[in-house]
Amino acid sequence: MLAWKKWGEGVTPQSSGKKGDHLVGDFYVKFDKEYKAEINTIIQEKLADYPLLKDVRDFKATLSGLKNKKKTKEGLNEQEIAQLKACEELSKYAENSAPLILEARDMLLKWEAKDEEVYSDWKMMNQWVYEGFDVSYKKLGVDFDKIYYESDTYTVGRDMVLEGIEKGVFYRKEDGSVWCDLSDVGLDEKLLLRKDGTSVYMTQDIGTAKLRFDDFDVDKMVYVVGNEQDYHFQVLSLLLDKIGFKWGKGLVHFSYGMVELPQGKMKSREGTVVDADDLVDEMVNTAREMSQQLGKLEGYTTEEAEEVYQMIALGALKYFILKVDPKKNMVFNPEESIDFNGNTGPFIQYTHARIQSIFRKAAEKGIHVGTEAPTHVEVGEKENNLIRTIANFPNAVAEAGKVFSPAIIANFVYDLAKEYNQFYHDCPILFEEDEDKRMMRLTLCKTVGKTIKNAMWLLGIDVPDKM
RNA sequence: GGUCCGAUAGCUCAGCUGGAUAGAGCAACAGCCUUCUAAGCUGUAGGUCCUAGGUUCGAAUCCUAGUCGGAUCACCA
């Protein structure tokens, strides 16, 4: 917001034609860049004040060099330890005295005091972001039952922290900041309110937690947040427990791994991210090209076909993410675009489309497929495998729920599709001459189709009838 | 340094509540469309399941130690 005020020259999503979240993201990156530049300037200026660092030319390299050496076996000698300390002191000083951060803090104070100008600007920019998000969420088929805004919950959190002081579970330092001592459980002290009285992330989460438990009569709450915040949620759970909420200890932090690029982590502050909107658009294009090349959607109107391309693109993307164990970090290479063959969403969607095609053909021949298969029909190996796999669906779902892993369902449905394709390849279905056998196979197809559809639905992926 | 997580084929990942020859996909190579959709199917090649100990009739799976990689330990969110 500060960056926008300083350098934005009043640009808006409308005037720039950019999605609101992207526009604000650009300023986020801009702020980080300028802030870092200021820090560097200050460090260069102040370097002379540190006798220990007078020989240092490249501050960054020295600091990271010392840090890395600290991790090695030989460690640091006394002089180096002192140097490292001086480096850390200096960078902390620089981080806290850069004009930009001071301005930003001032702005936050004004914001919490509901200063008119700051507050209305903030509201406007917030709106831009939410509108941008809404577009993306809608495209992805994501919706929310209820949204809590930190801006509405931080006061609740602050009141609870103040209450906590009265109860004696938190305490105030001389400078006015509020802390909780967690050394009894082997952790550090945790800041809950800054000395200027403004709230921090943790304060807001305490407030949000209370509101959520008040609003919904639940006995368990699952926080789906990345594993970089493991510590945060461990502390949150302890704090809520200390404040006296019986559900404090029962918080479930569903901690998922990060998606990394081949070059390393994505950082929104540095702008090294893959944009979901672009990614989806690209994949829709791939799906369209591929489909038109194969001529699979003849007889569909343009609108119908576009719907299918969208379905395939989203299926590919969602499946790609969901098939790996959510706890693990994963690597995504945007250069190698997401595959549509093999263990992918489109492969499974394709299997479903194939099955539906059989039923279209069956209907032409006037064959009605019920839900009951004829008994006393000989069942071959492929059919047997299929039946066994389908029978395992409830277990897979239960297990996935138990361990919070959509990947289990994804792997299940991939196995099923793979086995079905083998069966499809080896066994005649409509061409089968034995009527009972044919009906048994058709019933099997029907069940497989339904199971695929259900499993994919659990993953939030639609399946087409033709592709 | 403390805490936590990870390491399986060239690459991306399954398998991990102990059980038979460790599996997929991609990439490579060789096949299969006058039959229900070839976005499919079949085959070949590719592995010290990070290392060393231990528990066990049996370990990729459990335990201990180590190596490497990541996260975190902010008056950031």
Side-chain angles (χ1 to χ4, degrees):
Chain A
M1 185 163 149
L2 185 59
W4 177 79
K5 289 220 81 151
K6 285 179 103 75
W7 303 293
E9 294 167 0
V11 67
T12 66
Q14 289 78 27
S15 75
S16 63
K18 268 190 186 166
K19 239 170 126 250
D21 50 331
H22 291 173
L23 184 68
V24 173
D26 291 346
F27 285 108
Y28 193 56
V29 174
K30 174 81 172 160
F31 177 88
D32 190 63
K33 208 176 137 196
E34 297 292 337
Y35 177 42
K36 281 193 171 140
E38 284 187 358
I39 291 173
N40 272 330
T41 313
I42 293 171
I43 285 174
Q44 288 310 320
E45 282 168 4
K46 291 281 168 186
L47 213 46
D49 298 350
Y50 289 81
L52 275 169
L53 304 175
K54 68 175 190 300
D55 296 329
V56 173
R57 285 209 187 84
D58 188 339
F59 181 82
K60 254 193 198 161
T62 310
L63 180 59
S64 66
L66 285 169
K67 271 190 180 161
N68 285 336
K69 197 175 173 196
K70 196 179 166 190
K71 284 182 188 162
T72 62
K73 271 188 191 144
E74 47 181 321
L76 301 171
N77 61 35
E78 272 181 37
Q79 200 206 339
E80 286 168 330
I81 290 172
Q83 271 186 339
L84 180 62
K85 215 178 153 193
C87 280
E88 282 171 343
E89 210 173 276
L90 176 55
S91 60
K92 200 164 184 179
Y93 167 79
E95 279 165 25
N96 285 312
S97 56
L100 268 176
I101 197 74
L102 296 179
E103 270 188 83
R105 280 183 192 154
D106 187 48
M107 212 174 211
L108 178 61
L109 265 178
K110 282 186 181 163
W111 179 83
E112 287 212 3
K114 298 252 188 335
D115 173 279
E116 209 172 298
E117 191 191 341
V118 171
Y119 210 77
S120 69
D121 282 348
W122 168 79
K123 265 195 161 158
M124 177 181 69
M125 291 186 78
N126 244 1
Q127 201 52 41
W128 294 351
V129 173
Y130 291 133
E131 277 165 12
F133 282 174
D134 280 345
V135 171
S136 305
Y137 282 139
K138 201 167 178 194
K139 202 190 265 184
L140 292 170
V142 176
D143 60 88
F144 302 90
D145 292 334
K146 174 152 187 165
I147 297 173
Y148 293 91
Y149 298 95
E150 285 184 340
S151 48
D152 298 331
T153 65
Y154 77 99
T155 48
V156 179
R158 190 163 56 193
D159 290 346
M160 289 171 70
V161 170
L162 296 176
E163 240 172 76
I165 299 176
E166 279 167 30
K167 283 190 197 159
V169 289
F170 305 145
Y171 61 93
R172 201 183 277 278
K173 286 193 178 174
E174 311 85 60
D175 65 4
S177 54
V178 178
W179 297 75
C180 179
D181 183 12
L182 294 168
S183 56
D184 52 327
V185 285
L187 299 172
D188 223 341
E189 322 181 272
K190 185 75 196 173
L191 176 88
L192 298 175
L193 288 175
R194 297 190 185 97
K195 67 182 167 208
D196 61 13
T198 55
S199 54
V200 291
Y201 185 36
M202 188 61 81
T203 328
Q204 294 161 357
D205 259 351
I206 291 172
T208 313
K210 179 176 163 33
L211 288 174
R212 294 218 286 166
F213 273 103
D214 284 351
D215 287 349
F216 298 96
D217 183 26
V218 293
D219 46 25
K220 191 153 84 176
M221 188 115 79
V222 181
Y223 282 76
V224 182
V225 184
N227 62 12
E228 50 194 4
Q229 298 195 39
D230 285 354
Y231 181 74
H232 176 78
F233 283 98
Q234 192 189 348
V235 172
L236 179 63
S237 167
L238 290 167
L239 289 176
L240 291 171
D241 187 57
K242 272 187 191 279
I243 294 174
F245 292 107
K246 59 180 188 305
W247 35 260
K249 282 261 169 75
L251 281 193
V252 180
H253 174 207
F254 171 73
S255 159
Y256 59 84
M258 296 291 126
V259 177
E260 288 174 21
L261 300 175
Q263 305 86 329
K265 279 195 72 170
M266 296 195 210
K267 291 178 184 162
S268 51
R269 289 183 190 209
E270 295 177 15
T272 54
V273 294
V274 174
D275 183 77
D277 301 309
D278 298 345
L279 193 58
V280 172
D281 288 346
E282 234 173 82
M283 293 177 58
V284 171
N285 288 338
T286 312
R288 184 182 301 117
E289 275 167 34
M290 205 163 180
S291 188
Q292 286 172 351
Q293 212 172 341
L294 298 170
K296 291 294 178 71
L297 293 178
E298 282 158 20
Y300 267 29
T301 64
T302 317
E303 289 75 34
E304 284 169 330
E306 284 300 324
E307 215 171 283
V308 174
Y309 306 146
Q310 186 86 11
M311 207 186 272
I312 293 169
L314 288 180
L317 182 59
K318 289 182 182 181
Y319 185 87
F320 181 82
I321 302 280
L322 291 175
K323 77 173 171 185
V324 331
D325 182 346
K327 287 195 296 269
K328 289 191 178 177
N329 288 352
M330 64 180 291
V331 177
F332 168 59
N333 189 346
E335 304 298 316
E336 305 166 11
S337 56
I338 294 176
D339 246 300
F340 284 30
N341 300 319
N343 187 355
T344 65
F347 167 75
I348 295 157
Q349 291 172 317
Y350 174 73
T351 309
H352 181 266
R354 264 185 155 180
I355 293 170
Q356 300 318 309
S357 175
I358 290 176
F359 291 121
R360 281 192 295 272
K361 289 265 158 53
E364 282 170 23
K365 292 188 180 185
I367 300 172
H368 175 77
V369 184
T371 48
E372 297 274 322
T375 47
H376 308 300
V377 182
E378 198 193 330
V379 173
E381 193 197 337
K382 300 286 183 194
E383 287 127 318
N384 199 5
N385 286 343
L386 261 182
I387 293 165
R388 282 166 186 273
T389 303
I390 294 167
N392 204 31
F393 185 44
N395 292 334
V397 175
E399 181 67 13
K402 202 168 126 198
V403 301
F404 303 111
S405 176
I408 290 173
I409 293 171
N411 287 323
F412 165 84
V413 72
Y414 173 65
D415 274 344
L416 179 61
K418 200 172 162 53
E419 259 156 29
Y420 179 82
N421 279 311
Q422 288 171 15
F423 157 77
Y424 179 93
H425 183 265
D426 291 358
C427 306
I429 300 163
L430 285 173
F431 296 127
E432 174 58 45
E433 294 185 359
D434 180 315
E435 224 172 278
D436 281 348
K437 209 169 198 176
R438 186 176 67 205
M439 194 47 79
M440 181 273 286
R441 285 185 178 154
L442 279 167
T443 313
L444 190 52
C445 289
K446 193 160 202 177
T447 312
V448 171
K450 208 165 130 192
T451 307
I452 288 178
K453 191 169 189 163
N454 287 341
M456 292 294 265
W457 177 79
L458 287 171
L459 299 177
I461 301 173
D462 283 328
V463 287
D465 289 336
K466 255 191 195 183
M467 70 181 271

